[in-house]
């Protein structure tokens, strides 16, 4: 399956020439989860705070499907 | 400890010992108690019977980290209810170090249009503060960036300044109270609720504090205070969000733009969508990267006030490396950006600077411009048009005055039905339809639509203090109630609300906050008292609002949010009125 992925803030350092929120495509096997995606991107679990799949926060065991949009964030806050 | 009353009607002041009944109060607890006790709930907010109260927090002025905060309180000309609006500045610490626990401005200068300043200094011979009036007419109608250097030149470098801009002189509902930042710029604000106009209505333009020779804040139990302070410092220095070069210090508060957008809760084009296609261009990361490109080096953020170790305040720079504006906060960035369909950081920064120059609340200004764009006065995305509208407010033209009246007022003037406001106060940067808990806070807060009153975004979006589904209304009334009470305590303590990100996750930090307060006051509070003390403040505020005519019928979200589904999640605000009513009935 093909995913549309965005990395934000500090996590952009895990991919060359990536700016925060710039989407890129990732191909994964059919039964992949959020955890599999993080492994494929070589983003360490402990640096990830929130992962949104199609705008909804999901846990690492969430099964992904073709065409999903995934946004991955480190710990952030503001106000 | 001192309690100062300034009467603007006859230009007199009284410096009195702090009454015993107020000795455990500070910040919001102090301002709301005094306003509720002394201000007639049905008085005109801009008349002589309203009072403007300033109170530093309990630990403000001490070495407690991130605690140079002051509460300003009054009856709000924007909401018609009680208002506490919080700001960070050396002005807060200086008031505390002068051992002034409350400064109450009463009455109204008799000569219409005449403006006065107050100068407070420490009288070493009498061992108490002294108050002097000065003629402030020369500063009337002027850009605050032009005026602040003149006041520093006149009174020296050991001063701090609070005041109102031209917006407060006009009596606008969106006029804030300005304070100096560490670089002596007029950029820190008690922004919300129009209290700048309460100040202006009294004929008071500036309050200058001279810190020279001030004795500092007495601490009853130094050892306990120090123990608490160390726990707080540890929590702030280790939590990922608040630590040095962490998210806030690197990207500033505008780091929230992307995550709110991803969650479908970034209000866009006057709350017609939860996603803005230009979000990444105006986000905190874009500010960091843009500064890096324009300055040729990384720029981390600075403190808004002395003693802050989070340091989240940014400065946006022009292409030539000169300063454009400080500070482009998340709320300002959103209000003047996504909410107006504007994705140009330079234009957003221009508007932030103008709001600071004229004494306007950036949130109310952006929410108002969003409504005016909805009315078709200028199109969404027209940043030059939006900049011109901010200038109109400075000029005091009929259009400028309609805008200065705030979101709800401008909506009425232009016959707009999609007006994002509660109790007359424009909504901040979180969509109630996409984040139900924050909608409950907007609806029920004693302050009108105010995100800081009960920041349920922490668990609903950020994964701080647990994780909760933002789209469900289940359990959210209790969540909002708990956050509102804890917030009232933090606003009383004198700490910046941002300490909450660390201490909600790190229990010893929470203990540290209480120990700091106990150390200063000699109280025996435990963390179990946080909710109780905070709830007392909320009950006081609620009673004032009910007497002012703001009962539970006003604890409601605008109708369009119940009927228009919001993309991308296509949700309406589905929290039942009965659930909203439980926030305060079960307090």
């Amino acid at each position: 399956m093909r995913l549309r992925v965005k990395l934000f803030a500090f996590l952009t350092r895990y991919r060359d020439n990536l700016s925060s929120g710039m989407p890129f495509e990732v191909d994964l096997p059919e039964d992949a989860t959020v955890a599999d995606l993080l492994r494929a991107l070589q983003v360490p679990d402990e640096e990830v705070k929130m992962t949104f799949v199609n705008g909804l926060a999901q846990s690492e065991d969430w099964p992904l499907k073709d065409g999903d949009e995934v946004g991955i964030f480190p710990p952030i806050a503001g106000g | 400890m001192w309690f100062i009353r300034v009467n603007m009607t006859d230009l007199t002041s009284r410096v009195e010992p702090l009454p015993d009944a107020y000795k455990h109060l500070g910040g919001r607890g102090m301002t709301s108690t005094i306003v509720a006790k002394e201000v007639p709930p049905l008085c005109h907010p801009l008349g002589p019977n309203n009072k403007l109260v300033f109170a530093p927090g309990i630990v403000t002025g001490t070495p407690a980290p991130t605690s140079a905060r002051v509460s300003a309180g009054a009856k709000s000309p924007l909401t018609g209810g009680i208002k506490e609006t919080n700001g960070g500045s050396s002005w807060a610490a200086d008031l505390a170090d002068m051992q002034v626990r409350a400064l109450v401005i009463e009455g109204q200068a008799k000569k219409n249009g005449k403006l006065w300043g107050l100068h407070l200094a420490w009288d070493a011979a009498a061992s108490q503060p002294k108050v002097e009036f000065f003629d402030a007419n020369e500063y009337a109608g002027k850009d605050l960036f032009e005026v602040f250097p003149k006041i520093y030149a006149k009174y020296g470098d050991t001063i701090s300044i609070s005041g109102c801009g031209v917006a407060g002189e006009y009596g606008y509902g969106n006029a804030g109270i300005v304070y100096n930042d560490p670089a002596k710029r007029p950029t820190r604000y008690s922004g919300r609720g129009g209290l700048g106009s309460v100040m202006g209505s009294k004929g008071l333009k500036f309050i200058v504090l001279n810190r020279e020779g001030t004795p500092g804040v007495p601490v009853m139990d130094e050892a306990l205070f120090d123990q608490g302070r160390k726990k707080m410092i540890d929590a702030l220095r280790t939590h990922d969000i608040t630590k040095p070069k962490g998210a806030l210090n690197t990207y500033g508060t505008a780091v929230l733009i992307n995550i709110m957008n991803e969650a479908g809760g970034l209000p866009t084009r006057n709350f017609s969508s939860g996603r803005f296609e230009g979000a990444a261009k105006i986000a905190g990361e874009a500010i960091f990267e843009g500064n890096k490109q324009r300055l040729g080096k990384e720029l981390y953020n600075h403190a808004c006030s002395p003693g802050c170790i989070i340091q989240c305040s940014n400065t946006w720079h022009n292409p030539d490396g000169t300063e454009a504006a400080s500070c482009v906060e998340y709320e300002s960035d959103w209000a003047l950006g996504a909410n107006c369909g504007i994705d140009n950081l330079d234009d957003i920064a221009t508007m932030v600077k103008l709001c600071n120059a004229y004494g306007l609340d950036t949130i109310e200004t952006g929410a108002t411009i969003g409504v005016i764009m909805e009315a078709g006065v200028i199109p969404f995305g027209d940043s030059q048009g939006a900049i011109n509208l901010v200038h109109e407010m400075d000029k005091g033209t009929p259009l400028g005055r309609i805008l200065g009246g705030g979101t709800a007022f401008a909506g009425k003037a232009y016959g707009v039905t999609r007006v994002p406001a509660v109790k007359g106060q424009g909504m901040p940067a979180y969509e109630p339809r996409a984040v139900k808990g924050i909608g409950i806070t907007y609806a029920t807060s004693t302050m009108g639509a105010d995100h800081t009153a009960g920041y349920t975004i922490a668990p609903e979006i950020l994964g701080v203090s647990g994780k909760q589904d933002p789209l469900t209304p289940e359990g959210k009334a209790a969540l909002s109630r708990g956050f509102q009470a804890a917030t009232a305590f933090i606003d009383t303590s004198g700490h910046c609300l941002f300490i909450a990100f660390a201490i909600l996750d790190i229990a010893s930090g929470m203990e540290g906050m209480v120990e700091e307060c106990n150390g200063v006051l000699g109280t025996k509070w435990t963390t179990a008292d946080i909710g109780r003390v905070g709830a007392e403040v909320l009950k006081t505020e609620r009673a004032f609002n009910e007497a002012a005519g703001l009962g539970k019928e006003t604890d409601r979200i605008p109708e369009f949010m119940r009927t228009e589904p919001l993309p991308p999640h296509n949700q309406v605000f589905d929290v039942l009125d009965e659930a909203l009513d439980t926030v305060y009935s079960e307090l």
Side-chain angles (χ1 to χ4, degrees):
Chain A
M1 62 179 155
R2 179 158 289 183
L3 306 167
R4 193 163 179 265
V5 179
K6 288 177 272 186
L7 296 173
F8 292 94
F10 302 113
L11 300 182
T12 53
R13 69 170 178 266
Y14 291 102
R15 202 170 175 88
D16 291 338
N17 301 317
L18 188 73
S19 64
S20 183
M22 182 197 287
F24 57 93
E25 291 185 341
V26 175
D27 291 318
L28 286 180
E30 282 312 308
D31 55 352
T33 63
V34 168
D36 296 325
L37 173 62
L38 295 181
R39 264 192 297 276
L41 296 171
Q42 295 185 301
V43 175
D45 288 3
E46 61 272 19
E47 292 189 29
V48 175
K49 183 73 175 180
M50 300 296 292
T51 301
F52 292 83
V53 180
N54 303 324
L56 300 173
Q58 303 295 0
S59 57
E60 290 201 359
D61 57 1
W62 181 260
L64 296 165
K65 60 182 192 313
D66 188 50
D68 278 349
E69 300 202 358
V70 186
I72 305 170
F73 291 86
I76 59 169
Chain B
M1 305 303 286
W2 304 100
F3 187 103
I4 299 181
R5 287 185 189 276
V6 173
N7 187 323
M8 295 303 299
T9 307
D10 56 14
L11 301 178
T12 58
S13 64
R14 293 194 324 235
V15 179
E16 298 169 343
L18 182 73
D20 271 357
Y22 294 162
K23 69 180 183 181
H24 292 163
L25 296 175
R28 179 177 174 181
M30 181 74 83
T31 61
S32 289
T33 299
I34 294 172
V35 171
K37 189 164 177 233
E38 299 190 10
V39 174
L42 296 176
C43 76
H44 196 292
L46 302 183
N49 293 322
N50 199 4
K51 297 186 183 187
L52 177 62
V53 185
F54 293 95
I58 292 166
V59 303
T60 302
T62 72
T66 311
S67 68
R69 306 290 301 189
V70 62
S71 293
K75 176 171 174 171
S76 163
L78 190 72
T79 68
I82 200 164
K83 175 60 64 177
E84 183 267 354
T85 173
N86 200 284
S89 168
S90 61
W91 197 88
D94 290 350
L95 190 64
D97 286 343
M98 218 174 271
Q99 301 194 341
V100 177
R101 291 280 290 277
L103 171 61
V104 183
I105 313 297
E106 309 177 346
Q108 195 154 47
K110 279 178 186 157
K111 209 189 274 180
N112 201 16
K114 174 87 179 166
L115 288 172
W116 295 92
L118 286 177
H119 182 269
L120 273 69
W122 185 252
D123 181 343
S127 282
Q128 66 176 58
K130 67 175 175 195
V131 181
E132 288 171 349
F133 292 83
F134 64 89
D135 186 328
N137 266 9
E138 64 184 289
Y139 309 119
K142 293 204 165 74
D143 179 329
L144 288 166
F145 285 92
E146 183 189 331
V147 169
F148 265 45
K150 290 181 179 166
I151 297 177
Y152 277 104
K154 186 169 176 182
Y155 290 103
D157 284 338
T158 57
I159 61 160
S160 296
I161 306 170
S162 74
C164 65
V166 66
E169 295 176 40
Y170 285 133
Y172 290 168
N174 72 351
I177 291 174
V178 66
Y179 309 98
N180 61 279
D181 70 13
K184 301 178 181 170
R185 297 169 295 205
T187 70
R188 306 312 313 182
Y189 271 81
S190 284
R192 305 235 66 192
L195 296 206
S197 286
V198 177
M199 193 168 184
S201 75
K202 302 209 167 297
L204 182 59
K205 180 73 176 163
F206 294 114
I207 304 173
V208 175
L209 305 179
N210 191 333
R211 71 181 70 95
E212 221 168 347
T214 53
V217 177
V219 174
M220 304 270 278
D221 184 337
E222 290 274 3
L224 182 62
F225 171 79
D226 232 39
Q227 177 179 308
R229 183 177 70 92
K230 284 176 182 151
K231 287 182 185 175
M232 178 64 81
I233 290 171
D234 281 347
L236 295 177
R237 286 213 171 126
T238 53
H239 197 280
D240 284 327
I241 289 168
T242 53
K243 69 187 181 185
K245 296 198 176 181
L248 281 169
N249 183 230
T250 305
Y251 300 117
T253 57
V255 72
L256 279 184
I257 292 273
N258 279 325
I259 197 167
M260 289 311 305
N261 193 57
E262 198 63 20
L266 184 71
T268 298
R269 295 184 178 83
N270 191 35
F271 289 74
S272 60
S273 171
R275 287 251 171 91
F276 180 46
E277 69 285 357
K281 290 170 72 178
I282 65 169
E285 296 95 311
I287 294 173
F288 184 79
E289 293 301 327
N291 274 333
K292 191 170 149 186
Q293 193 180 34
R294 291 177 174 188
L295 297 172
K297 62 177 183 185
E298 289 184 340
L299 178 66
Y300 290 86
N301 295 328
H302 62 269
C304 75
S305 53
C308 179
I309 60 174
I310 299 176
Q311 306 197 351
C312 68
S313 297
N314 64 20
T315 304
W316 176 245
H317 291 81
N318 294 310
D320 65 2
T322 57
E323 179 180 310
S326 180
C327 165
V328 184
E329 302 278 15
Y330 169 63
E331 289 291 337
S332 311
D333 195 17
W334 158 81
L336 301 160
N339 190 52
C340 296
I342 293 171
D343 65 3
N344 183 313
L345 267 173
D346 290 315
D347 291 338
I348 292 167
T350 297
M351 286 188 271
V352 169
K353 176 106 187 244
L354 292 174
C355 286
N356 288 340
Y358 303 151
L360 296 163
D361 172 20
T362 53
I363 299 177
E364 200 65 42
T365 297
T368 303
I369 293 173
V371 164
I372 285 296
M373 288 175 160
E374 176 93 32
V377 176
I378 57 171
F380 284 108
D382 178 4
S383 55
Q384 284 311 314
I387 290 168
N388 289 338
L389 291 179
V390 183
H391 285 308
E392 291 294 309
M393 285 188 261
D394 172 46
K395 291 177 199 158
T397 59
L399 174 57
R401 286 170 189 265
I402 288 170
L403 298 167
T407 313
F409 185 79
K412 277 186 190 169
Y414 281 89
V416 177
T417 55
R418 188 187 287 128
V419 178
V422 178
K423 297 183 180 72
Q425 180 163 293
M427 281 185 188
Y430 311 89
E431 235 300 343
R433 287 167 286 187
V435 197
K436 302 290 162 59
I438 202 71
I440 295 173
T441 294
Y442 289 173
T444 61
S445 162
T446 49
M447 300 293 139
D450 178 354
H451 61 299
T452 67
Y455 195 70
T456 62
I457 297 299
E460 291 187 287
I461 299 290
L462 307 174
V464 171
S465 187
K467 287 185 184 178
Q468 298 220 14
D469 176 1
L471 299 180
T472 180
E474 298 301 320
K476 296 294 177 60
L479 183 73
S480 175
R481 185 190 310 120
F483 268 83
Q484 289 193 47
T487 300
F489 184 94
I490 294 172
D491 289 343
T492 296
S493 79
H495 276 295
C496 169
L497 188 54
F498 284 5
I499 63 154
F501 295 125
I503 71 172
L504 283 170
D505 283 339
I506 302 172
S508 60
M510 189 76 82
E511 289 163 16
M513 174 174 69
V514 174
E515 288 165 0
E516 288 171 345
C517 291
N518 287 338
V520 171
L521 297 176
T523 42
K524 306 276 183 203
W525 292 337
T526 68
T527 51
D529 291 310
I530 292 172
R532 178 189 60 78
V533 172
E536 290 306 313
V537 176
L538 296 179
K539 284 176 186 171
T540 299
E541 294 171 348
R542 178 77 179 184
F544 181 93
N545 278 1
E546 286 178 355
L550 298 180
K552 67 179 183 182
E553 299 78 11
T554 64
D555 290 347
R556 299 293 181 258
I557 286 292
E559 185 187 35
F560 77 91
M561 292 185 172
R562 290 198 175 275
T563 57
E564 290 181 19
L566 181 83
H569 297 306
N570 296 317
Q571 290 262 322
V572 295
F573 188 72
D574 55 357
V575 179
L576 298 174
D577 289 349
E578 292 73 23
L580 293 174
D581 293 342
T582 64
V583 173
Y584 277 81
S585 68
E586 295 180 11
L587 185 67

